[in-house]
Amino acid sequence: MKRSFTIAVLSGDGIGKEIVPEGVKVLEAIGRLHGLAFNFKEAIVGGGAIDLHGRPLPDETLAVAKAADVVLLGAVGGPKWDGLDSSIRPEKALLGLREQLGLYANLRPARLFPQLIDASTLKREVIEGTDLLVVRELTGGIYFGEPRGIKPYRNEERGINTEVYTTKEIARIAKVAFEAARKRRRKVCSVFGDILSDEAAMLTGSIGMLPSASLGGRTAMYEPIHGSAPDIAGQNKANPLATILSVAMMLNYSFDQEKAADEIEHAVLGVLDQGYRTADIASPGTKLVGTKEMGELVIKQLMKA
Ligand code: IPM
Ligand code: MG
């Protein structure tokens, strides 16, 4: 079995720069425990890439991603780039990576950890036992459909987006969903996925807890489902657990290391059991920690197990 992997590290903007290093440290620790070697290749993406190269997804970054076994992505975007034309906004980097890497299937598990039941604004009896998997199509539909854009129309302007899927695109994402459901409760419900995965975060207490895997091509991509959170960027406040749980998904789906993935999940649960919380999941009586401390606690817990 392969034991050495190349990981493209695209931390991006805002809190991406803080949470991704914690994911990398967890990978290094689990690598030592399981005899796995990781070769990290950093590349620039999003707003930072616009500043430096005028484009959110420079060719060099795409090349690093394509050559890697997997991509670990943080988040892109921020107020600084909000005024740019939509064709070169930071978010376009995400769409470009998905398209270029052929990542049509996005898995977004939303599980409520019992320790966080009070972190949700919803009532305990409503959310208890929540465990769902959003399977989101990523390379078809409204993000890529043509025609699109804003054009003059009579005496005003008119905006157009096109929601379009081919039969093949629908069949392959449905297959992913049905196969996943076979291993779960054998239920599939078809609805709109991006907003739904954000809403699912409310069930689990915080969007800072939700990981994701984007699969389909040779190189898979792993990222937290949340954004770059410019309001708390650079303050050591962000929750790194969504990234750390994305790393667990990476070990499971791309590296065939189910045991290592389980160990990471257990370490996260262990740290939550001890009452440590970042601000987004804190509730009265818990111990507030920052991004780095949370990462270190997970590693300490991993080493103990
Ligand atoms: C996500 C994000 C992206 C999406 C945006 C930034 C393009 O919301 O990954 O969920 O909608 O896919
Ligand atoms: Mg989203």
Side-chain angles (χ1 to χ4, degrees), residues 143-270:
Y143 282 177
F144 295 95
E146 298 280 351
R148 61 195 298 108
I150 301 172
K151 296 196 178 81
Y153 178 75
R154 297 189 181 153
N155 286 328
E156 50 181 346
E157 285 183 315
R158 186 167 68 161
I160 300 174
N161 266 306
T162 305
E163 172 89 304
V164 59
Y165 291 100
T166 64
T167 312
K168 192 177 120 202
E169 281 170 339
I170 293 172
R172 66 185 182 182
I173 193 71
K175 186 161 182 277
V176 172
F178 284 118
E179 281 176 1
R182 277 192 169 167
K183 297 187 194 146
R184 298 168 49 86
R185 271 162 302 172
R186 306 177 72 83
K187 284 188 184 144
V188 174
C189 174
S190 175
V191 259
F192 187 46
D194 175 49
I195 293 170
L196 197 78
S197 62
D198 288 347
E199 287 172 346
M202 285 315 288
L203 303 175
T204 64
S206 168
I207 199 163
M209 294 298 298
L210 301 198
S212 83
S214 300
L215 313 171
R218 193 195 73 81
T219 302
M221 185 158 82
Y222 296 85
E223 57 173 316
I225 79 155
H226 59 70
S228 58
D231 55 325
I232 57 161
Q235 301 172 37
N236 192 39
K237 276 189 188 163
N239 186 349
L241 294 179
T243 307
I244 291 172
L245 292 168
S246 300
V247 159
M249 291 187 87
M250 177 193 293
L251 285 154
N252 201 356
Y253 288 93
S254 287
F255 302 161
D256 223 358
Q257 297 285 331
E258 205 181 324
K259 186 159 177 292
D262 282 351
E263 285 172 21
I264 293 177
E265 284 191 22
H266 279 117
V268 168
L269 288 174

Side-chain angles (χ1 to χ4, degrees), residues 56-70:
L57 181 60
D59 293 343
E60 307 87 85
T61 299
L62 187 59
V64 169
K66 280 189 169 166
D69 291 302
V70 296

